[in-house]
Amino acid sequence: MNSAIKITGMLLALLFLSPLLEGLLRKFKALVHSRIGPPLLQPYWDTLKLLGKDNVRSVHSMLGPLPAYLSLAAVLLAGLLVPVGGSSAFAGGDMILFLYMIGFASVCVMLAGMDSGSPYAFLGIAREMMTSLTVEPVLFIALITAALKTHSFRFSDMAFYQQSSGTSLSMIISGIALLLGIQAQLSKLPFDIPEAEGELMGGPFIEISGPTFALYRWGFIIKQLIFSLILVQIFFPWTFGLSGPWAVLAQAAKILVVVLLVGLVDVVNPRLRIDQAIVYYFGVILTALVGLVFALVGA
Amino acid sequence: MTKQDILSLLKAKLGAGFMGSTEPIPDQLWVEVKPEAVVQAVEILHRQTVARYLVSVGSDERDIKKRFAVYHLFTFDKDHFFVTLDVTADPHTPQVPSITNVIAGANWSEREIRDLLGVQFPGHPDPRRLVLADDWPAEVYPLRKEFDYSQKPESHPEQAYKFKDNPPGTTVVAMGPYFPVFEEATYFRLYVEGEKVVDVDYRGFYAHRGIEKLGDQTLTYNQIPFMAERICGICGFVHNVSFCKLVEHAADIKVPLRADYIRTIMLELERIHSHALWLGVAGHIIGFDTVLMQTWRMREPIMWLCEKITGNRKTYGMNLIGGVRRDIPRALVPEIRTKINNMEKEWLAVLDAVKDDTTLRMRLEKVGILNKEGCHEWAAVGPVARAADLDMDARKDHPYCAYDAIDFKVITADSNDVWGRTVVRILETLESFKIVKQSLDALMELPEGDIITEIREEIPAGRIAISAVEAPRGEDVHFLLTGGNNRPVRWRVRCPTYPNLPTIPDMVRGEQVADVPIIVGSIDPCFSCTERMEVVDVDSGEIRIYGQEELSKWTGR
């Protein structure tokens, strides 16, 4: 019973709090642009509006909106595994399941692109694949490092580790690598290469519109919250000695900092070419590996 | 080289192919050659002298001289004059040997003359349709005199445009006819292998408006400047000045000095806001929207300034043959100076931010290479040529308006790439601030009110003129052959995009798909759009915005 409430609560929070974060991010971007920007609640209205539109499908499409449902479901399931306040709502926060779900969500995007039959989508998929193959190892290595340190594959255990045994160098390094990787995980500039609206007009999403598109966008917005949570709960779980509502506020502030950092990198960079991005990501993988090595020697 | 040197060179080499020469106005040499000698003549000019090819103009002169004429225009930049090769084509089966195999840049000109006038160019390497729509009937030539400007020929939808065949192992990625970052209708058909562009084909002219035809058939000399201004939504004033200079040149009209300075100021304000717009668009193309937002914010006060001076943000309607229609009162000069100084300060900050931005340089450096030789072959102009270390600028080479009295530098770079073009544009804008400020000083000296020499007599027929005006995106060339009825026989406009656009295939071949939009963007294609009108009461500063409904109600009357 208790876990059912927790799961429902977490689902609602993921679905309905994440757009607020996106709204803040848009305001922040507007600030850098010298614009007023859209109202804070605009992401909610956008989603509502898209959901109310007709679903226009590519004539080549055989799968229809199926990949969109699967992708959003995978993202939500991944979200349930993320620890909040030290414990996960579902399955103790199984790390392997989480990695599968995140990978599965990007496979769904690729599927949707292939299903559309557009040459732009195919270019986008090729880029998405290259990005996934170089970025997902970062996530994988960072989480393995955490698992090594905590001797557990559960996020719940990982979240407590630094609080109980003090700040660990390898965890901090892995956290930084993960932060660098988030930019691409969330398709933010300079790494929004698979979608690249200037060149590929949305890449895999070119033929997707209306409610189906709303689901993908919602998924992206939720992913933003998930990755920030992973980062602040597992790798930077400092509470600054606060407790109660103040501790919750501190966590919210940390999430905001992560999102704004990602947003800042997004607004001050042009889009890289895929070959340049891959070179950059090999560097990030190396950083993650350094964290792993430190963990192996016990730091 | 002097005109005399060129004449003796051509005479000696061409022998019987050389038919005669004239100097219609001081900066022009007019050489008549036989059709069979034209390829050799072009080869001599293009390979043995420092001549730069401008454009070829076709003209229907069956009424006056019983011929079709093809003029190949060249310029000797550093010697400040133009050379024209005049070739006659038979009025019944017009035909002139193609020079495209000698100068790649003549490709479009010859196809255009074929499309519009029906002059054939045997030996042309790519004789596909260029200007006319796919369904336009064959053998209907819209620029011939007997074709009425309002005539609508039958559609032939069965005629399809033939694109190049796919090179083996490639797939087609279409950029156009409508593509988000291109803003205008243009079609680049990319043949790609993975991310690599193997080859590219082009089809354009989707929005051809027949403006030259209107100039030949319905408008008069004093109306054409307003039409000329509407050729481009960004560098309209440049076209306007180009045309006015033509007539002033042909009929030897002296423009008051004050008008020359006012024209200079407007031309430079146009360059400033155009370069700011370009930098923003370039940023947007590579996903860097902060650049777009900031440069356009800086640009806005300049647009307001233009509105204050002329009454319009754009398409000023300021210029007439013989001078300008509105003065810049002395009282306005301090405000213009303040705005220019503010923008200059912000622009220096932009320069600082851009030149140290490593990711920006990663995207722009060594991309879209076109070197000196390539520019010469394609007759490329403007920042594209200047980024290939070619020191050419119509403001210095063929001084017009007040530029010979003003101190400024021609900015060049030697990196041959998109980065070079960006740097050239940013630094050029700084020169523009200088020019405006010097012109403002001059305005303070000169007496107010003396701004136009009205033309009283009719412009004589049979006069010829060429004008070159440096637009923000490169040199803009107009050609004029005057006629009766107070209108030209032939008015040819060669905007700077015309020679620059055909260089795109050379620039993108071998590059990645991701680089194509910014390479195309680097030559600065232009666009304009209007959706509503805003009226400001200058005294009270009150703003009223009229929406689409009200506007359509008024205009529909």
Side-chain angles (χ1 to χ4, degrees):
Chain A
M1 186 60 209
N2 194 17
S3 77
I5 291 172
K6 259 182 115 173
I7 287 174
T8 320
M10 188 64 190
L11 273 180
L12 290 177
L14 285 171
L15 282 169
F16 298 108
L17 279 183
S18 53
L20 194 64
L21 206 57
E22 172 73 8
L24 279 168
L25 191 59
R26 283 202 204 169
K27 272 285 183 203
F28 173 72
K29 264 194 202 180
L31 191 77
V32 181
H33 285 169
S34 301
R35 286 189 289 126
I36 296 168
L40 198 58
L41 300 184
Q42 193 60 39
Y44 294 95
W45 307 130
D46 285 354
T47 309
L48 265 179
K49 185 176 173 186
L50 282 172
L51 284 173
K53 284 183 175 249
D54 277 348
N55 219 347
V56 182
R57 256 171 70 171
S58 155
V59 286
H60 302 284
S61 169
M62 295 194 296
L63 300 174
L66 185 66
Y69 295 134
L70 292 178
S71 152
L72 184 62
V75 170
L76 283 173
L77 183 51
L80 288 181
L81 302 169
V82 171
V84 175
S87 71
S88 304
F90 179 65
D94 190 286
M95 184 190 106
I96 305 294
L97 185 57
F98 176 82
L99 285 170
Y100 264 117
M101 286 303 117
I102 291 297
F104 185 68
S106 59
V107 168
C108 285
V109 169
M110 292 184 218
L111 259 183
M114 278 182 214
D115 188 41
S116 72
S118 154
Y120 304 103
F122 278 98
L123 267 175
I125 294 164
R127 293 175 176 192
E128 175 86 32
M129 251 185 247
M130 281 190 257
T131 314
S132 293
L133 287 176
T134 40
V135 174
E136 265 163 36
V138 177
L139 181 63
F140 187 73
I141 297 169
L143 289 179
I144 286 286
T145 308
L148 259 177
K149 290 302 288 185
T150 55
H151 303 290
S152 163
F153 279 129
R154 285 163 172 265
F155 285 151
S156 305
D157 302 333
M158 294 179 190
F160 276 115
Y161 173 74
Q162 283 195 77
Q163 273 166 305
S164 51
S165 28
T167 308
S168 130
L169 183 61
S170 54
M171 290 288 261
I172 301 291
I173 294 174
S174 310
I176 290 169
L178 189 57
L179 180 65
L180 296 173
I182 281 184
Q183 208 74 23
Q185 285 280 2
L186 298 179
S187 296
K188 297 278 183 207
L189 283 165
F191 307 109
D192 72 333
I193 306 163
E195 284 98 61
E197 108 272 9
E199 301 139 27
L200 301 181
M201 302 192 279
F205 301 105
I206 183 164
E207 297 286 346
I208 294 163
S209 62
T212 318
F213 189 54
L215 298 185
Y216 284 113
R217 277 177 43 121
W218 213 343
F220 267 117
I221 291 172
I222 294 170
K223 254 167 108 176
Q224 217 160 267
L225 182 60
I226 292 177
F227 279 101
S228 335
L229 271 171
I230 291 269
L231 206 61
V232 301
Q233 290 282 315
I234 296 175
F235 294 94
F236 307 113
W238 316 309
T239 50
F240 311 106
L242 299 166
S243 61
W246 291 111
V248 175
L249 226 64
Q251 296 303 313
K254 275 199 294 180
I255 289 173
L256 200 60
V257 168
V258 169
V259 171
L260 291 190
L261 261 179
V262 170
L264 185 65
V265 175
D266 179 274
V267 284
V268 299
N269 274 299
R271 183 181 308 114
L272 286 178
R273 277 200 310 260
I274 186 77
D275 53 330
Q276 296 167 335
I278 301 272
V279 170
Y280 173 82
Y281 270 108
F282 278 124
V284 180
I285 292 180
L286 277 181
T287 316
L289 281 174
V290 169
L292 186 63
V293 169
F294 271 104
L296 285 172
V297 300
Chain B
M1 271 188 124
T2 64
K3 283 179 243 176
Q4 212 46 52
D5 296 339
I6 290 153
L7 268 184
S8 31
L9 182 68
L10 283 175
K11 258 186 213 160
K13 295 265 171 112
L14 295 179
F18 182 91
M19 291 168 72
S21 72
T22 49
E23 278 188 44
I25 38 178
D27 69 347
Q28 278 192 48
L29 179 63
W30 200 267
V31 183
E32 232 177 298
V33 292
K34 286 193 175 145
E36 51 279 14
V38 67
V39 177
Q40 199 196 348
V42 167
E43 223 160 52
I44 293 165
L45 286 179
H46 188 60
R47 303 233 191 275
Q48 298 174 22
T49 71
V50 291
R52 180 163 63 81
Y53 174 75
L54 289 175
V55 68
S56 301
V57 184
S59 162
D60 177 2
E61 294 170 12
R62 285 173 299 168
D63 301 344
I64 34 178
K65 289 189 184 160
K66 308 249 174 308
R67 66 162 189 170
F68 282 103
V70 173
Y71 306 114
H72 297 302
L73 274 52
F74 289 85
T75 160
F76 286 76
D77 285 331
K78 294 295 160 259
D79 307 296
H80 317 300
F81 64 87
F82 300 101
V83 172
T84 304
L85 296 178
D86 174 338
V87 195
T88 297
D90 183 79
H92 305 294
T93 48
Q95 196 169 315
V96 173
S98 166
I99 61 162
T100 303
N101 291 317
V102 184
I103 301 176
N107 187 325
W108 277 23
S109 286
E110 293 193 332
R111 283 160 76 186
E112 178 174 331
I113 297 170
R114 198 264 331 272
D115 277 11
L116 300 180
L117 284 163
V119 179
Q120 300 298 322
F121 290 89
H124 194 290
D126 180 17
R128 289 180 298 171
R129 207 166 246 201
L130 179 76
V131 179
L132 294 179
D134 294 353
D135 66 341
W136 185 278
E139 304 196 351
V140 175
Y141 302 112
L143 211 52
R144 287 192 176 183
K145 294 291 174 196
E146 69 265 21
F147 187 92
D148 188 75
Y149 77 97
S150 59
Q151 198 177 322
K152 281 191 184 137
E154 233 175 287
S155 167
H156 286 263
E158 77 284 355
Q159 305 177 148
Y161 187 80
K162 185 142 175 25
F163 282 100
K164 283 187 202 167
D165 293 328
N166 282 23
T170 58
T171 47
V172 171
V173 171
M175 290 200 172
Y178 289 96
F179 198 73
V181 292
F182 289 158
E183 325 279 356
E184 276 177 300
T186 181
Y187 184 14
F188 291 95
R189 195 174 165 90
L190 308 180
Y191 302 100
V192 303
E193 233 176 66
E195 289 273 339
K196 198 176 141 216
V197 179
V198 177
D199 203 357
V200 57
D201 202 1
Y202 167 83
R203 173 76 170 133
F205 290 82
Y206 291 110
H208 195 76
R209 292 167 291 170
I211 283 180
E212 288 173 358
K213 181 75 182 174
L214 293 177
D216 292 5
Q217 261 193 3
T218 63
L219 304 176
T220 61
Y221 286 119
N222 258 336
Q223 293 169 334
I224 293 178
F226 299 97
M227 178 53 90
E229 191 155 22
R230 280 155 177 82
I231 289 171
C232 177
I234 293 298
C235 47
F237 198 77
V238 170
H239 284 286
N240 192 334
V241 170
S242 301
F243 178 77
C244 292
K245 289 262 83 143
L246 274 182
V247 183
E248 286 155 12
H249 240 56
D252 201 18
I253 299 164
K254 288 268 166 298
V255 178
L257 194 54
R258 191 171 178 86
D260 268 343
Y261 274 107
I262 293 175
R263 281 180 179 177
T264 308
I265 291 174
M266 293 317 296
L267 284 170
E268 290 310 313
L269 287 181
E270 207 161 66
R271 190 180 324 278
I272 293 167
H273 80 63
S274 174
H275 280 348
L277 176 132
W278 178 82
L279 189 59
V281 171
H284 174 68
I285 288 173
I286 52 174
F288 202 165
D289 278 347
T290 308
V291 175
L292 172 74
M293 293 294 165
Q294 296 300 344
T295 53
W296 283 38
R297 176 184 57 71
M298 294 171 199
R299 174 179 182 259
E300 200 54 25
I302 302 294
M303 306 306 288
W304 282 78
L305 199 58
C306 292
E307 186 174 334
K308 198 143 196 183
I309 297 171
T310 68
N312 291 305
R313 275 170 74 87
K314 272 304 317 159
T315 316
Y316 312 123
M318 259 285 264
N319 226 358
L320 268 186
I321 292 160
V324 291
R325 296 169 66 211
R326 270 196 187 206
D327 202 354
I328 297 181
R330 282 209 187 112
L332 195 59
V333 169
E335 188 184 337
I336 301 176
R337 214 186 285 273
T338 322
K339 292 257 167 70
I340 292 293
N341 284 336
N342 290 347
M343 169 105 185
E344 190 175 11
K345 233 176 274 159
E346 294 203 285
W347 200 250
L348 284 168
V350 169
L351 176 64
D352 263 355
V354 167
K355 75 172 196 287
D356 297 329
D357 193 319
T358 41
T359 27
L360 201 61
R361 293 181 78 139
M362 273 169 84
R363 279 307 307 274
L364 303 183
E365 275 178 337
K366 301 198 173 50
V367 167
I369 301 283
L370 188 70
N371 60 15
K372 233 180 202 175
E373 289 72 33
C375 286
H376 190 58
E377 276 316 303
W378 286 109
V381 295
V384 177
R386 285 196 285 274
D389 206 13
L390 284 167
D391 170 15
M392 71 191 216
D393 189 323
R395 294 176 291 178
K396 285 269 192 223
D397 300 337
H398 303 286
Y400 50 93
C401 296
Y403 285 106
D404 45 358
I406 286 172
D407 171 41
F408 69 98
K409 280 203 300 266
V410 175
I411 307 290
T412 56
D414 56 4
S415 57
N416 305 334
D417 54 6
V418 178
W419 173 249
R421 287 159 216 157
T422 311
V423 171
V424 164
R425 285 198 177 92
I426 295 177
L427 295 177
E428 235 171 59
T429 316
L430 292 174
E431 294 299 310
S432 294
F433 296 130
K434 261 167 60 182
I435 298 172
V436 174
K437 283 191 246 176
Q438 289 177 45
S439 306
L440 288 176
D441 291 340
L443 280 194
M444 293 305 276
E445 303 287 319
L446 293 165
E448 278 189 36
D450 182 19
I451 52 168
I452 191 158
T453 312
E454 301 232 16
I455 33 170
R456 299 243 148 71
E457 292 124 57
E458 194 158 311
I459 311 284
R463 298 280 182 96
I464 282 159
I466 300 170
S467 73
V469 171
E470 193 69 22
R473 32 185 72 72
E475 153 213 71
D476 182 33
V477 177
H478 284 220
F479 169 93
L480 176 76
L481 176 59
T482 60
N485 292 334
N486 201 21
R487 73 171 57 103
V489 171
R490 183 75 173 101
W491 164 44
R492 170 73 163 99
V493 177
R494 195 226 60 187
C495 68
T497 308
Y498 197 81
N500 282 348
L501 202 53
T503 64
I504 297 288
D506 273 10
M507 289 202 248
V508 301
R509 222 170 270 132
E511 301 278 11
Q512 294 195 15
V513 176
D515 290 326
V516 175
I518 186 63
I519 293 173
V520 176
S522 75
I523 69 159
D524 193 1
C526 58
F527 56 90
S528 86
C529 48
T530 322
E531 54 171 331
R532 64 185 169 83
M533 182 169 82
E534 195 176 81
V535 176
V536 183
D537 187 321
V538 179
D539 296 328
S540 67
E542 188 190 332
I543 298 177
R544 217 192 129 196
I545 294 172
Y546 296 92
Q548 196 192 347
E549 268 175 37
E550 281 160 291
L551 283 179
S552 21
K553 204 169 72 193
W554 295 340
T555 50
R557 267 207 298 238

